[in-house]
Amino acid sequence: MRRAASILDRSTVLIPLLVGAGWAGSVALEPRLGPAVYAAPALAAVLTVLAVALAGAAAARPVGVAILLVVVLAGLTIAFDQRQEGEVGLTPQNFLKLVVWLFLALVSLLQARRFLWMLRDPVLALAGLHVLVALVSAAWSLAPLYTLVNGIGLVGYLGLACLVAVRLPERTALRVTTGSLFALIGGGLVIGTLLPDLGWIPPSHGEPQWRFQGLSGQPNVYAQQAGYLLTLALCARRERHLSRGAVLACLVVAIVAILLSNSRTTLLACLLAWALVGLRERGRLRALAIPVGVAAALALLAGSLGGGTGLDGLFGGLTRSGSASELTTLTGRTEIWSVAADLISQRPLLGWGYNGTEQLIADSVPTTFYGSHVNTHNMSVQLVLGLGFLGALPGLGFVAGLLWRLLRSPDPTRDQVTLLMVVSGLSEAPIFIMPALQNLVVFAVLARDAAWRVPHPTPRPPQEGAAP
């Protein structure tokens, strides 16, 4: 036994020596093998780390799940190139997303036994049913392969969110999430400033001002990502998961990003969600209900009596163009909603397919429409357009479930994310367009809620310790 151990010890020492000797011999043959041989050790190290990370993720190890979370949040949200509207081909960026989404979906299927018990929570079950309907809608989508790929992405994101809930302590999950978003948004600020052609979009007919887009490919998308950084940083601080300095850094980066992107809707949604949850926690929300209601009634009365003639002077400063008509038409969104209503009436039950309507909208809007028509810019309208009234029921159901719990069983973290999603969803459709950062965050909130509500079939590991 001792001799066998001695041989093993010697072989352990000999293996790296033999590998080093082999690499040295390869370097000596460099004229034949090419200069790439010098990078062999670094490449081997990278491949080894990648293999270990993939193995850990496939086995749902806590570190592997955290790495997947970082890859999705800080990696897949970067726009490496500008995608043309209506383009659904296999571009390099789409191929990268496909590979990651397939891996996430595979891991979710392999590790489903770890989180299937949470689907007894009705709200999370509705989210799962929504994902299933989106996946199946490839059967009638105008872009079936594109819809199928996006459906696989939703499966992967829901599975990852559930694994985060059961395999990572809440403290770790929030820290990893905010850190990843801080790197994404902060990196966008730095790189976009150093490379203005990449970070800024110039004024146009539809965008009268310069707007910052960072590494996200679109100012509104960049602002929404910054909005979730701001919101989650505040939630993490409320639960004492982040220090004051870290939260302050996150807030500064997020607010600067939102202001540079000139997305006032996102800023309003973040502040409103923060204020409502904060006032409710302090028991002052009901005291503000009466004055806010009176102010809203007076505004409606003034508008009905023709008091809108001075709106340009009163509200013009709140818009990018300086005209109050941008508020009354929601930057052209009412026009695209009218087009969407006509398209919905043609396929009212099951819609046109999840994320398969981009070219359809582009072909249906008037030639005088200058805004972005990649989607309907409203999450409910987009959901019904893609999946129809029948297919939209699960999606609308889990959103309604979140709102119901906001009223009946308050939870600051869940409710602040819910309010941000709902308010921003009035003018954008983040969670019902395609698998994106917002989907993962909302799914994670749902899974976190389910993990606390549904009795675990086996004893849970300590919350502050990593699961084995």
Side-chain angles (χ1 to χ4, degrees), residues 128-376:
L129 185 57
H130 161 69
V131 170
L132 180 62
V133 173
L135 183 66
V136 172
S137 70
W140 61 85
S141 172
L142 297 177
L145 184 59
Y146 195 62
T147 295
L148 178 64
V149 169
N150 282 271
I152 292 173
L154 284 181
V155 172
Y157 280 10
L158 181 60
L160 176 59
C162 292
L163 286 175
V164 167
V166 299
R167 301 296 286 168
L168 295 180
E170 182 177 307
R171 181 184 183 88
T172 302
L174 276 174
R175 284 187 166 188
V176 171
T177 301
T178 52
S180 301
L181 292 179
F182 181 83
L184 172 69
I185 305 303
L189 285 174
V190 174
I191 296 176
T193 302
L194 296 176
L195 302 173
D197 292 340
L198 177 67
W200 293 86
I201 61 171
S204 63
H205 190 283
E207 297 287 352
Q209 297 179 3
W210 285 88
R211 300 186 66 192
F212 192 78
Q213 62 184 0
L215 300 176
S216 302
Q218 213 279 339
N220 288 338
V221 174
Y222 186 62
Q224 290 165 18
Q225 294 168 352
Y228 278 92
L229 169 61
L230 186 153
T231 299
L232 292 175
L234 291 172
C235 293
R237 178 56 190 166
R238 184 187 295 116
E239 301 295 333
R240 300 294 189 269
H241 296 326
L242 287 180
S243 65
R244 291 182 179 178
V247 171
L248 180 61
C250 290
L251 294 183
V252 170
V253 167
I255 292 174
V256 169
I258 295 173
L259 292 177
L260 289 179
S261 69
N262 209 0
S263 179
R264 304 178 188 188
T265 303
T266 299
L267 183 60
L268 173 64
C270 290
L271 296 179
L272 185 62
W274 184 10
L276 289 177
V277 171
L279 290 171
R280 185 188 64 185
E281 293 298 300
R282 291 167 174 80
R284 301 175 183 174
L285 190 57
R286 292 184 179 180
L288 288 179
I290 294 178
V292 170
V294 171
L298 291 175
L300 291 174
L301 180 61
S304 64
L305 295 177
T309 55
L311 287 179
D312 277 344
L314 184 60
F315 296 113
L318 299 177
T319 64
R320 289 194 289 268
S321 63
S323 172
S325 62
E326 187 175 329
L327 283 178
T328 57
T329 65
L330 297 176
T331 321
R333 283 166 172 76
T334 53
E335 185 175 358
I336 205 169
W337 293 345
S338 177
V339 172
D342 292 336
L343 295 174
I344 291 172
S345 66
Q346 298 176 33
R347 289 191 180 183
L349 292 181
L350 296 177
W352 298 85
Y354 179 76
N355 201 19
T357 61
E358 190 170 315
Q359 191 61 52
L360 175 67
I361 298 173
D363 294 338
S364 302
V365 295
T367 56
T368 55
F369 183 80
Y370 290 100
S372 173
H373 43 64
V374 294
N375 58 76
T376 62

Side-chain angles (χ1 to χ4, degrees), residues 34-74:
V37 71
Y38 291 105
L43 179 62
V46 170
L47 291 177
T48 301
V49 172
L50 180 61
V52 171
L54 291 177
R61 301 292 184 188
V63 174
V65 173
I67 291 174
L68 284 179
L69 191 57
V70 173
V71 168
V72 173
L73 292 173

